[in-house]
Amino acid sequence: MTTLRRPISEWRLPSLRLAMQWISQATLKADSIHKPFAQQCQDLVKVIEDFPAKELHAIFPWLVESIFGSLDGVLVGWNLRCLQGRMSPVEYSIAVEFLDPGGPMMKLVYKLQAEDYKFDFPVSSLPGPVKASIQECVLPDSPLYHNKVQFPPAGGLGLNLALNPFEYYMFFFALSLIIQKPLPGALHVRTSDCAYFILVDRYLSWFLPTEGSVLPPLASSPGVPSPSPAPRTPAMPFASYGLPHTSLLKRHVSHQTSVNADPASHEIWRSETLLQVFVEMWLHHYSLEMYQKMQSPHAKLEVLHYRLSVSSALHSPAQPSLQALHAYQEAFTPTEEHVLVVRLLLKHLHAFSNSLKPEQVSPSAHSHAASPLEEFKRAAVPRFVQQKLYLFLQHCFGHWPLDASFRAVLEMWLSYLQPWRYAPEKQAQSSDCQARCASERWAPFVQENLLMYTKLFVGFLSRALRTDLVSPKNALMVFRVAKVFAQPNLAEMIQKGEHLFLEPELVIPHRQHRLLAAPTLTGSFLSPWPPAVTDASLKVKSHAYSLEGQDCKYTPMFGPEVRTLVLRLAQLITQAKQTAKSISDQCGESSAGRPFLSWLGFHSTDTNSSYPGNDLDDMGQDSVRKTDEYLEKALEYLCRVFRLSEAQLAQLTLASGTARDESGKKLLPDCTVGEDGLILTPLGRYQIINGLRRFDIKYQGDSELQPVRSYENASLVRVLFRLSSAINRRFAGQMADLCSRADFLGSFCRYHLMDPGLADRHLLSPVGRGRAASCAQGPRLSLRFLGSYRMLLSLLLAFFVASLFCVGPLPCALVLTLGYLLYAVAMTLLTERAKLHQL
């Protein structure tokens, strides 16, 4: 890393002509192919330090693309998402230091920023909803896009955004998380150890500091302000679909991205830009129809008005914009890595917002002059993050697969729901650790994010009811959610927020309209209205309507519908606990009751397991213990949150039908008796799909004709079947005569030539009962056991051990045959004695 910061005096300065040739883009491209990575970065550091912005602005787009990859995903760049310090320590350190907020790349950005350079960014590379709205001449609600849209000249290819160097760099950095796909060999890379994750953390710590203020740019002096972007072309008007109803002229002036009007605002413009870019690129992914549902009627009327004006102004007939927007659906599925990076952003934003001092958080502090950074800390989450995060979580809850990878989405959601966990250490120590608990001071946050708690909780319930809770990973997710919602005071704060939201409106209609049309109004607008509770109710409603729209249908979390779902989940938890215990008991009994000689291949392997395919079979008793512990605690927490009594739990246990019968066996799935036998009910199908109950399924056909098992050699099994079939046809009469004898020889032959379970078998299918008599088999010889890999391995092991004692193959075979004859004689005597006792 010292090589990246070498002074200019240590470098050999080439002549001016060679320097101009060196800085050419073609030369840098050639160097990036032939030179080592460390040498490339050294050359780039020298170029950035030695040459002015006039020569650097030409190579800046190429340099950004060579680092983060192309927007079409063809070029991977430095592949920061797969670059780890453990695997490539040198390249990792050089890349992180080069792209550090105080590193050479940021010096280049600030050097170009001071000269008012603009770079074109294609609108087609933006997230789907933003791209669709801009192409339909509707300006997105984020100030990030205002005054930046550049329309193509005659014969142009598409729309572009005119971005300053800082915005251009951050756009590429944020989009590389989504566009660039990981390499095939990088499937097992830990996200928290990769260079991209580390750089995101450094950018957040630098531009959104929890202590102190944002550091000034390194390459530009604090007295030199960054220029404002050029005004957008008025050739095609835009309409906003997310802002309060104000005139376009006023909105155009208020959202002019200028930092030289107020010297104090120069402190945070980079911080605000960073947050807006991260939110827009990472969270703005869902169907545009869902986004339009949230907009106010005034905004929709403004959109329609300007669409009509646009359609009349164009010379060529245009496609109806309303139809195009409603037909748009973005096919976007976030990755687990994407979710983990978003969680890092949310955790840092909570720490950033909570870094306000207690006197700055109080409402009276708003009346005093506050610095732009303090105001930004108050508005960061509700203004920039809340709405898009809610839709992003809804998208994940509805489209993520029903597997254990949902844990990443779950932890991201739970991190946002618990801002008290990220309170500064000093505040937590000064308030006796109450700052990191769900105390009453967090009631405004819970009320402002009511749907984040309640509606997403209902979404999680619907997922949990469709998953296999016997799996330890799924049980852990239920435990995590129940534990978070069971924190002291949290359920009470959520219930209070629901009461405020569901409170009937008793005031005149225009009063509700004033507040809901502009949810960012301050308390001075509310002061003439006397009832304080109603004002709080309207405030909660305004936040909920800003997320779901004013026609949303709300299901109370503590209402009867959700309580029914919680009771169903509690019933499934009880069933899953007993199922896990049944699997554990069955595994223990099968391992304890397995004969010793079965390991040598002299006993048939049981192929009729009642619980195949469950991950508990592979993970052992420890997983059963963890599953039982997670489900037990989850049930306890759910009872605490929803006030379920012991009597209700006992009734659920009896109603679930998971209690064992007197013989200790599991009951069958829920069925009804029909003319042709048992018929599964919907509950029975659910029990089978989730592994809660199973039929005792056994192979009912000819054991010689069953499919070749995975532990058998297919060719050898077929050869042995033909051989045994030929022997049975040739000596069928003699074998029948031997088995009919009443002496010891007859018993010995019956033990080997008769299937002991054949007489007790009965076909369960009503269709095949008529053919049951034709399936009877007489005495026969079966050599299929010799086709088992276990048997072959046992014989090879026996011959190998015999060779160590200088025993040849023939004597070893005689010893094995004699040993088996003794075993068969003993088993014949035991079998005959058991039959005598039964008589």
Side-chain angles (χ1 to χ4, degrees):
M1 306 336 59
T2 57
T3 56
L4 294 177
R5 303 181 182 273
R6 292 173 61 184
I8 301 178
S9 59
E10 296 185 11
W11 297 87
R12 294 177 54 193
L13 297 178
S15 62
L16 181 59
R17 180 177 298 178
L18 292 177
M20 297 305 296
Q21 183 180 2
W22 185 28
I23 199 174
S24 66
Q25 186 170 332
T27 306
L28 288 176
K29 285 184 178 180
D31 292 343
S32 65
I33 298 176
H34 301 291
K35 288 187 177 181
F37 182 73
Q39 185 63 38
Q40 295 177 35
C41 292
Q42 290 180 358
D43 295 345
L44 290 174
V45 171
K46 181 175 178 56
V47 170
I48 293 171
E49 291 182 350
D50 290 356
F51 292 92
K54 187 176 181 180
E55 283 84 13
L56 293 174
H57 85 280
I59 66 168
F60 181 69
W62 167 83
L63 180 58
V64 172
E65 187 176 273
S66 65
I67 294 174
F68 301 119
S70 58
L71 295 175
D72 55 4
V74 176
L75 301 178
V76 296
W78 289 4
N79 199 16
L80 298 174
R81 294 168 56 185
C82 301
L83 188 59
Q84 284 189 299
R86 295 185 295 106
M87 307 300 295
S88 306
V90 177
E91 291 81 0
Y92 171 85
S93 301
I94 292 176
V96 170
E97 292 300 325
F98 185 81
L99 301 177
D100 187 79
M105 191 64 189
M106 273 300 170
K107 291 182 181 180
L108 172 60
V109 171
Y110 296 143
K111 185 181 291 189
L112 297 175
Q113 186 80 24
E115 300 295 333
D116 195 19
Y117 285 109
K118 300 296 179 190
F119 301 93
D120 289 339
F121 188 90
V123 172
S124 58
S125 299
L126 294 174
V130 179
K131 175 177 62 178
S133 62
I134 292 180
Q135 291 174 348
E136 294 299 327
C137 308
V138 180
L139 188 63
D141 57 348
S142 174
L144 189 65
Y145 307 105
H146 292 189
N147 308 324
K148 294 183 175 66
V149 180
Q150 300 292 322
F151 296 96
L157 297 179
L159 298 173
N160 291 311
L161 297 179
L163 305 179
N164 62 47
F166 185 80
E167 295 169 338
Y168 188 82
Y169 175 83
M170 286 301 170
F171 266 60
F172 265 86
F173 176 78
L175 279 176
S176 64
L177 176 65
I178 301 171
I179 296 177
Q180 299 299 327
K181 303 302 180 184
L183 298 178
L187 298 178
H188 303 288
V189 175
R190 287 189 58 186
T191 303
S192 58
D193 296 336
C194 67
Y196 188 89
F197 193 88
I198 299 300
L199 286 172
V200 171
D201 185 58
R202 290 194 181 187
Y203 288 153
L204 292 174
S205 301
W206 184 284
F207 295 108
L208 302 176
T210 56
E211 296 182 2
S213 58
V214 183
L215 297 177
L218 301 178
S220 60
S221 59
V224 179
S226 299
S228 60
R232 62 177 175 86
T233 305
M236 189 175 293
F238 281 84
S240 170
Y241 55 76
L243 294 173
H245 182 62
T246 56
S247 66
L248 286 183
L249 179 61
K250 182 177 180 181
R251 217 182 63 235
H252 172 78
V253 175
S254 62
H255 290 288
Q256 188 78 275
T257 312
S258 177
V259 294
N260 55 1
D262 183 10
S265 64
H266 183 79
E267 178 186 357
I268 65 164
W269 76 267
R270 291 172 296 139
S271 304
E272 187 173 348
T273 300
L274 175 86
L275 179 57
Q276 290 183 27
V277 171
F278 284 177
V279 170
E280 287 294 317
M281 301 302 124
W282 294 344
L283 299 181
H284 206 154
H285 297 274
Y286 33 77
S287 65
L288 195 63
E289 183 178 1
M290 179 188 298
Y291 190 75
Q292 281 189 325
K293 182 183 67 173
M294 306 178 305
Q295 309 311 316
S296 64
H298 285 291
K300 291 182 179 180
L301 183 61
E302 186 178 340
V303 171
L304 180 60
H305 171 73
Y306 278 94
R307 281 175 180 162
L308 293 176
S309 63
V310 168
S311 300
S312 61
L314 294 178
H315 298 286
S316 59
Q319 180 185 5
S321 301
L322 188 61
Q323 179 182 357
L325 284 173
H326 277 281
Y328 166 76
Q329 294 287 333
E330 184 186 17
F332 176 77
T333 302
T335 61
E336 189 173 349
E337 180 185 9
H338 181 181
V339 172
L340 292 175
V341 174
V342 173
R343 186 192 179 203
L344 174 65
L345 171 65
L346 297 179
K347 292 166 65 175
H348 189 87
L349 282 176
H350 278 322
F352 178 68
S353 301
N354 293 339
S355 63
L356 282 171
K357 298 178 180 179
E359 59 271 13
Q360 297 171 343
V361 181
S362 61
S364 60
H366 293 268
S367 59
H368 303 289
S371 67
L373 183 60
E374 295 173 358
E375 293 293 339
F376 183 56
K377 288 182 179 181
R378 294 191 187 97
V381 173
R383 179 180 177 185
F384 297 106
V385 179
Q386 185 186 43
Q387 187 182 59
K388 293 182 174 63
L389 176 65
Y390 176 73
L391 293 178
F392 181 77
L393 285 171
Q394 272 197 325
H395 183 84
C396 292
F397 274 60
H399 296 80
W400 202 277
L402 289 171
D403 55 19
S405 64
F406 186 72
R407 174 79 186 278
V409 179
L410 188 77
E411 294 298 337
M412 175 183 63
W413 173 49
L414 297 181
S415 295
Y416 182 80
L417 298 186
Q418 303 175 87
W420 46 85
R421 291 185 55 193
Y422 310 102
E425 292 286 346
K426 295 180 180 179
Q427 293 186 16
Q429 295 175 0
S430 61
S431 59
D432 298 331
C433 298
Q434 292 298 320
R436 294 203 170 186
C437 300
S439 58
E440 289 294 332
R441 58 165 292 199
W442 298 104
F445 179 86
V446 175
Q447 295 173 7
E448 293 172 5
N449 295 272
L450 182 63
L451 298 185
M452 291 280 194
Y453 290 91
T454 59
K455 190 159 186 178
L456 292 182
F457 179 80
V458 176
F460 173 76
L461 283 180
S462 65
R463 290 184 61 94
L465 291 173
R466 291 177 290 161
T467 55
D468 180 14
L469 298 183
V470 182
S471 170
K473 296 178 180 179
N474 293 333
L476 176 60
M477 287 191 284
V478 176
F479 163 74
R480 289 283 296 124
V481 174
K483 181 180 179 181
V484 168
F485 279 85
Q487 294 180 83
N489 303 320
L490 181 57
E492 289 76 8
M493 288 188 290
I494 296 175
Q495 200 164 9
K496 182 178 179 181
E498 284 194 330
H499 286 319
L500 293 174
F501 180 76
L502 299 174
E503 182 183 79
E505 187 61 53
L506 301 178
V507 294
I508 55 178
H510 76 272
R511 173 179 166 183
Q512 176 183 1
H513 174 74
R514 283 179 59 191
L515 183 63
L516 300 184
T520 57
L521 295 178
T522 59
S524 60
F525 291 89
L526 306 178
S527 55
W529 301 335
V533 177
T534 307
D535 292 337
S537 174
L538 289 175
K539 187 176 181 180
V540 174
K541 291 179 181 179
S542 67
H543 284 284
Y545 292 153
S546 67
L547 298 180
E548 277 285 329
Q550 298 187 18
D551 56 346
C552 70
K553 297 179 180 180
Y554 183 75
T555 303
M557 178 175 169
F558 294 94
E561 297 181 15
V562 178
R563 188 177 182 85
T564 303
L565 295 178
V566 173
L567 290 175
R568 284 184 56 194
L569 180 60
Q571 182 178 357
L572 292 181
I573 289 175
T574 306
Q575 292 177 345
K577 288 175 57 180
Q578 297 189 2
T579 303
K581 191 175 185 305
S582 299
I583 297 175
S584 176
D585 295 343
Q586 186 182 26
C587 294
E589 292 173 1
S590 61
S591 61
R594 186 178 300 162
F596 172 74
L597 290 176
S598 67
W599 294 99
L600 299 178
F602 296 111
H603 192 274
S604 60
T605 304
D606 184 16
T607 60
N608 298 315
S609 176
S610 299
Y611 297 95
N614 197 291
D615 58 354
L616 289 174
D617 300 335
D618 301 327
M619 303 178 69
Q621 297 293 326
D622 187 58
S623 294
V624 177
R625 180 186 58 81
K626 288 183 178 179
T627 301
D628 186 72
E629 180 180 346
Y630 291 147
L631 295 179
E632 183 69 28
K633 297 299 291 184
L635 192 59
E636 176 185 343
Y637 290 139
L638 289 176
C639 293
R640 185 185 307 173
V641 174
F642 293 93
R643 298 180 178 87
L644 303 180
S645 62
E646 294 292 338
Q648 288 176 309
L649 291 182
Q651 184 179 4
L652 286 175
T653 304
L654 295 177
S656 63
T658 56
R660 295 173 179 264
D661 59 8
E662 296 179 356
S663 62
K665 301 296 183 181
K666 285 290 293 183
L667 296 178
L668 296 178
D670 190 68
C671 301
T672 58
V673 180
E675 297 180 357
D676 295 330
L678 299 178
I679 301 176
L680 277 176
T681 64
L683 176 59
R685 296 190 187 96
Y686 177 84
Q687 292 169 342
I688 292 179
I689 291 174
N690 291 274
L692 302 177
R693 295 187 189 179
R694 295 186 186 275
F695 287 103
D696 188 15
I697 300 176
K698 294 183 180 180
Y699 184 75
Q700 297 291 322
D702 188 355
S703 58
E704 288 293 299
L705 299 179
Q706 61 181 322
V708 178
R709 305 297 182 178
S710 59
Y711 53 83
E712 293 177 327
N713 185 285
S715 301
L716 190 57
V717 166
R718 294 187 180 98
V719 171
L720 292 172
F721 175 74
R722 294 191 186 98
L723 178 60
S724 59
S725 298
I727 295 175
N728 292 332
R729 286 194 301 268
R730 177 68 179 80
F731 301 101
Q734 291 85 337
M735 287 189 293
D737 294 339
L738 289 174
C739 291
S740 62
R741 296 179 57 159
D743 54 3
F744 176 80
L745 181 59
S747 301
F748 187 84
C749 292
R750 285 192 297 272
Y751 177 78
H752 288 89
L753 301 178
M754 298 289 291
D755 189 354
L758 187 61
D760 298 333
R761 284 182 185 171
H762 57 281
L763 293 179
L764 299 179
S765 174
V767 180
R769 287 173 182 170
R771 304 192 305 267
S774 62
C775 297
Q777 296 288 345
R780 59 179 178 173
L781 177 67
S782 176
L783 301 177
R784 182 165 179 163
F785 70 96
L786 294 174
S788 171
Y789 289 116
R790 181 183 297 176
M791 182 63 182
L792 296 175
L793 181 61
S794 302
L795 292 176
L796 289 177
L797 183 62
F799 283 114
F800 175 73
V801 173
S803 65
L804 296 179
F805 295 94
C806 300
V807 178
L810 185 58
C812 180
L814 293 176
V815 171
L816 291 177
T817 303
L818 180 60
Y820 178 74
L821 287 175
L822 295 176
Y823 167 77
V825 168
M827 293 300 298
T828 301
L829 294 175
L830 293 176
T831 303
E832 290 299 320
R833 182 174 298 180
K835 290 182 178 180
L836 292 176
H837 283 293
Q838 292 177 358
L839 295 176

